[in-house]
């Protein structure tokens, strides 16, 4: 048994029983979770010292940042590699490998958004000591578009043409069409080394993919599959930090066991899915721990398949929405931690529309909507229209106890309006495969996001050209089609004017709130925790993992 696993076989905690409770109001100070009020933050150490053990409930397995991976893999990517720029918690793009972020104002973006020019930071080296240059950026962008390469995404990148290296630290290209979300996409595009991957006979199977070399604050050390990944400080990092000597990502798939190790001090932080909501009240009282509910850009939604006759009519979806007791779901099942929402955009986004009609739990109104739309109750109390019964299956991941309880509440509420819901859950590997991406579901209970990295553009989720089962490329798995939405999405992508784009996305939110191609329930606020004495941990709604600034972490003496 490894040193990391000593005492790991302690008895598991039993989850407290669910019960209704008051909504837990978390202030801004709790969200930042820095140190107690009035406490002075100690300065960073003069030299690197100590290590941090981060507990993860999912195992990172993809280490080439240009290949398909999941959110937890990004914890590795953002510490081993760098992007040209990176989003901070306020949504500002901060230069990393670039010397400045190109804009229309500074001339980096010109010709109506078609011409791009990026100046790169000088003095950056790869972990093996080779210099970073514009050739690496050119290689990375071309590799993404290489037909034989298994790219994570070609969204935006496929529009890039005529890449020109103008010198070791300057690069330019042209876009096939103006595409403003590309700034945000490049913030999530990590640059890889040409001098290593360029020599690989097949980048898909290169040795680099299991021992990555980057420019980031931490260097790859070792991986023990199914257990942990360790990193050491990059002593030649070009930005301040890192202040730690070592970092370890410890994989603990059972959330209860992960919480137990956090409680006993075997892990220093638990992020991502973090601490189960039913342990929150106990966790905030743990001595020597800081436990906070951090904002997330992900939403919990019901995703109907709009090609299913029972769910294709707007009045049906509006009735189902009125019959959802959102507050009961949040208070009883999720312990009041999450925030109800009416929008596909996070409330922290500059494009969020705060004036959408508020949801009301109103069974009488739901019944009237169905009556007026011609849905008649049959012998079993289930409504029908034109021979189509108001019946459908709602699916989610097998074994997710909280979502299963949510399904039970939804089933009871929808019975009151003559809608029959069945449960059809399946393992994650099955449900999030073709069942999801080929729109084989009838309705899903799912957590997901509707933006392009940090940009509010939701075209991949709502455009009629983004329906995979109809030949499109994207995530419009509910098969939503609306010509006005398509026009607005195109306009939002081609504008670089934030005021104009805000108007566009406000209108989009109004349409989606009315037509309900998704039924939003809440915006996530996952509970994360860390040991007191760890300085620098800062949640970032614009990063997919809160290890985004691990280079700034250090232990107070």
């Amino acid at each position: 048994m490894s040193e990391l696993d000593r005492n790991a076989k302690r008895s598991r905690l039993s989850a407290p029983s669910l019960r209704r409770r008051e909504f837990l109001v978390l202030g801004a100070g709790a969200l930042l979770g820095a140190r107690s009020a009035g406490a002075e933050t100690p300065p960073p150490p003069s030299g690197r010292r100590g290590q941090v053990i981060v507990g993860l409930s999912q195992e990172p397995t993809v280490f080439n940042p240009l290949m398909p991976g999941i959110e937890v893999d990004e914890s590795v990517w953002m510490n081993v590699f760098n992007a040209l720029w990176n989003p901070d918690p306020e949504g500002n793009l901060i230069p990393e490998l670039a010397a400045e972020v190109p804009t229309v104002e500074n001339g980096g973006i010109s010709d109506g958004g078609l011409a791009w020019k990026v100046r790169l930071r000088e003095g950056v080296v790869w972990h093996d000591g080779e210099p970073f240059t514009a050739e690496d950026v050119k290689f990375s962008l071309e590799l993404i578009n290489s037909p034989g390469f298994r790219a994570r995404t070609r969204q935006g990148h496929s529009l890039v043409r005529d890449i020109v290296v103008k010198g070791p630290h300057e690069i330019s290209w042209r876009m096939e069409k103006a595409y403003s979300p590309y700034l945000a996409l490049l913030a999530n595009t990590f640059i890889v080394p040409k001098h290593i991957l360029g020599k690989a006979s097949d980048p898909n199977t290169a040795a680099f993919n299991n021992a990555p070399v980057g420019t980031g604050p931490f260097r790859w050390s070792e991986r023990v599959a199914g257990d942990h990944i360790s990193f050491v400080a990059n002593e030649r990092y070009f930005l301040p930090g890192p202040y730690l000597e070592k970092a370890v990502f410890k994989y603990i798939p059972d959330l209860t066991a992960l919480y137990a190790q956090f409680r006993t001090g075997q892990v220093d932080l638990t992020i991502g899915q973090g601490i189960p909501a039913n342990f929150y009240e106990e966790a905030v009282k743990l001595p020597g721990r800081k436990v906070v509910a951090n904002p997330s850009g992900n939403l919990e939604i019901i995703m109907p398949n709009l090609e299913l006759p029972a769910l294709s009519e707007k009045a049906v979806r509006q009735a189902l929405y009125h019959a959802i007791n959102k507050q009961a779901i949040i208070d009883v099942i999720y312990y009041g931690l999450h925030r109800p929402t009416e929008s596909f955009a996070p409330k922290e986004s500059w494009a969020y529309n705060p004036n959408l009609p508020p949801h009301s739990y109103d069974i009488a109104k739901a019944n009237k909507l169905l009556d007026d739309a011609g849905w008649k109750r049959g012998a079993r109390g289930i409504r029908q229209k034109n021979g189509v019964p108001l019946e459908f299956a709602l699916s989610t991941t097998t074994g997710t106890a909280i979502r299963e309880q949510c399904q039970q509440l939804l089933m009871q509420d929808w019975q009151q309006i003559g809608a029959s819901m069945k449960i059809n859950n399946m393992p994650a590997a099955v449900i999030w495969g073709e069942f999801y991406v080929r729109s084989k579901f009838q309705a899903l209970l799912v957590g997901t996001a509707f933006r392009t990295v940090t940009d509010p553009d939701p075209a991949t989720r709502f455009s009629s050209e983004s329906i995979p089962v109809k030949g499109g490329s994207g995530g419009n798995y509910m098969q939503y089609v609306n010509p006005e939405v398509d026009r607005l999405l195109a306009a939002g992508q081609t504008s670089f004017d934030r005021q104009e784009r805000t108007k566009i996305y406000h209108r989009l939110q109004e349409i989606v709130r009315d037509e309900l191609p998704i039924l939003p329930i809440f915006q996530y606020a996952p509970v994360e925790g860390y040991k007191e004495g760890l300085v620098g941990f800062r949640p970032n709604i614009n990063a997919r993992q809160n290890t985004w600034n691990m280079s700034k972490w250090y232990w107070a003496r």
Side-chain angles (χ1 to χ4, degrees):
M1 184 175 295
S2 70
E3 181 180 350
L4 291 170
D5 276 334
R6 287 179 186 174
N7 302 321
K9 293 195 177 266
R10 307 214 176 180
S11 58
R12 291 189 174 183
L13 304 175
S14 58
S17 60
L18 289 172
R19 59 186 173 84
R20 183 176 296 275
R21 60 192 59 212
E22 296 295 323
F23 189 87
L24 301 173
V25 179
L26 298 174
L31 292 177
L32 289 176
R35 296 175 69 81
S36 58
E40 185 176 342
T41 301
S46 56
R48 297 178 182 88
R49 66 168 187 253
Q51 73 169 14
V52 66
I53 299 176
V54 181
L56 301 173
S57 62
Q58 293 177 297
E59 182 179 15
T61 59
V62 177
F63 310 121
N64 183 327
L66 302 184
M67 297 182 73
I70 58 176
E71 287 188 9
V72 72
D73 296 318
E74 296 197 27
S75 281
V76 175
W77 303 344
M78 63 180 61
N79 285 291
V80 173
F81 299 93
N82 291 102
L84 294 173
W85 40 81
N86 195 41
D88 69 9
E90 288 73 41
N92 304 304
L93 295 176
I94 308 301
E96 285 199 341
L97 293 175
E100 65 178 352
V101 179
T103 65
V104 173
E105 290 74 21
N106 65 24
I109 300 173
S110 58
D111 193 14
L114 298 179
W116 290 55
K117 179 175 63 178
V118 179
R119 292 193 303 108
L120 301 174
R121 194 183 296 268
E122 299 183 22
V124 179
V125 297
W126 294 96
H127 291 159
D128 61 4
E130 289 294 314
F132 159 79
T133 72
E135 291 288 351
D136 297 303
V137 179
K138 182 176 188 288
F139 172 78
S140 298
L141 297 180
E142 289 180 341
L143 179 60
I144 291 169
N145 287 322
S146 175
F149 181 63
R150 202 157 51 87
R152 174 163 55 107
T153 179
R154 292 189 173 91
Q155 181 187 355
H157 300 299
S158 63
L159 301 173
V160 174
R161 302 284 185 271
D162 306 325
I163 303 174
V164 177
V165 172
K166 296 190 169 185
H169 304 105
E170 187 172 343
I171 189 169
S172 68
W173 63 82
R174 290 191 65 83
M175 303 293 285
E176 183 179 300
K177 64 178 182 178
Y179 184 65
S180 55
Y182 199 45
L183 279 166
L185 281 161
L186 286 172
N188 193 241
T189 301
F190 299 91
I191 305 303
V192 297
K194 177 182 179 180
H195 71 279
I196 298 177
L197 271 178
K199 296 176 182 176
S201 57
D202 182 0
N204 294 298
T205 58
F208 170 92
N209 299 340
N210 292 309
V213 174
T215 55
F218 289 91
R219 295 187 288 112
W220 183 267
S221 179
E222 70 163 359
R223 179 193 180 211
V224 177
D227 189 88
H228 73 275
I229 301 171
S230 62
F231 310 88
V232 294
N234 175 12
E235 296 177 351
R236 293 181 289 195
Y237 191 47
F238 58 93
L239 293 172
Y243 303 117
L244 297 167
E245 293 179 297
K246 184 178 179 181
V248 179
F249 291 167
K250 175 69 174 157
Y251 170 50
I252 307 164
D254 184 282
L255 286 173
T256 300
L258 174 54
Y259 172 63
Q261 292 200 30
F262 172 70
R263 192 181 71 166
T264 56
Q266 294 162 264
V267 300
D268 301 314
L269 296 93
T270 172
I271 63 167
Q273 288 184 283
I275 298 170
N278 49 346
F279 289 119
Y280 174 79
E281 288 190 345
E282 175 188 283
V284 294
K285 299 172 185 175
L286 291 174
R289 304 290 184 274
K290 292 288 186 181
V291 173
V292 293
N294 291 323
S296 165
N298 285 358
L299 310 177
E300 184 81 347
I301 65 163
I302 293 160
M303 180 181 288
N305 188 332
L306 304 184
E307 290 292 306
L308 187 73
L311 299 176
S312 62
E313 190 175 340
K314 180 173 76 171
V316 170
R317 300 192 299 274
Q318 290 176 332
L320 291 172
Y321 193 52
H322 276 296
I324 297 173
N325 193 338
K326 280 193 189 185
Q327 206 59 56
I329 289 171
I330 293 169
D331 286 350
V332 177
I333 298 177
Y334 289 94
Y335 288 72
L337 289 169
H338 304 306
R339 297 181 294 175
T341 185
E342 304 301 328
S343 174
F344 58 78
K347 294 184 178 181
E348 293 78 6
S349 170
W350 54 262
Y352 174 74
N353 185 343
N355 301 314
L356 300 175
H359 169 268
S360 62
Y361 175 53
D362 192 332
I363 295 296
K365 186 170 184 177
N367 275 313
K368 186 176 188 307
L369 279 165
L370 292 173
D371 289 340
D372 292 347
W375 289 84
K376 307 296 184 184
R377 290 184 185 268
R380 295 184 296 137
I382 300 171
R383 293 180 183 267
Q384 292 189 15
K385 181 178 179 180
N386 299 328
V388 175
L390 188 45
E391 293 182 319
F392 59 93
L394 183 66
S395 303
T396 196
T397 311
T398 301
T400 308
I402 287 181
R403 280 197 178 141
E404 289 171 351
Q405 294 173 57
C406 182
Q407 285 176 312
Q408 294 293 332
L409 282 183
L410 290 168
M411 181 185 294
Q412 294 170 22
D413 279 334
W414 286 340
Q415 280 178 342
Q416 299 181 68
I417 64 170
S420 174
M421 185 205 98
K422 296 179 174 61
I423 294 174
N424 180 30
N425 295 344
M426 53 194 71
V430 177
I431 194 170
W432 308 125
E434 285 210 346
F435 185 77
Y436 183 40
V437 302
R438 302 301 296 175
S439 301
K440 295 181 178 180
F441 60 89
Q442 296 185 347
L444 289 173
L445 184 58
V446 58
T448 189
F450 291 83
R451 56 180 180 164
T452 302
V453 191
T454 61
D455 191 275
D457 169 47
T460 60
R461 307 310 301 268
F462 292 123
S463 169
S464 62
E465 296 180 356
S466 299
I467 304 173
V469 76
K470 295 181 180 178
S473 175
N476 185 352
Y477 306 130
M478 55 277 189
Q479 306 187 69
Y480 179 49
V481 177
N482 181 307
E484 184 184 357
V485 165
D486 285 345
R487 288 193 297 272
L488 289 166
L489 290 170
Q493 289 183 338
T494 55
S495 173
F496 288 82
D497 184 301
R498 178 171 288 194
Q499 187 174 0
E500 179 183 356
R501 296 186 79 206
T502 299
K503 292 178 182 177
I504 289 168
Y505 295 127
H506 276 204
R507 176 60 185 148
L508 274 169
Q509 290 167 76
E510 291 170 0
I511 296 171
V512 170
R513 173 61 181 85
D514 176 59
E515 297 199 336
L516 294 172
I518 61 169
L519 279 61
I521 303 176
F522 57 75
Q523 181 178 336
Y524 279 95
V527 179
E528 300 179 326
Y530 58 96
K531 286 182 181 176
E532 285 185 348
L534 182 69
V535 181
F537 176 80
R538 186 184 181 197
N540 186 349
I541 192 172
N542 297 307
R544 281 155 64 95
Q545 294 283 291
N546 277 332
T547 51
W548 70 283
N549 71 333
M550 198 164 70
S551 64
K552 304 294 191 295
W553 298 357
Y554 56 92
W555 292 104
R557 287 192 180 276

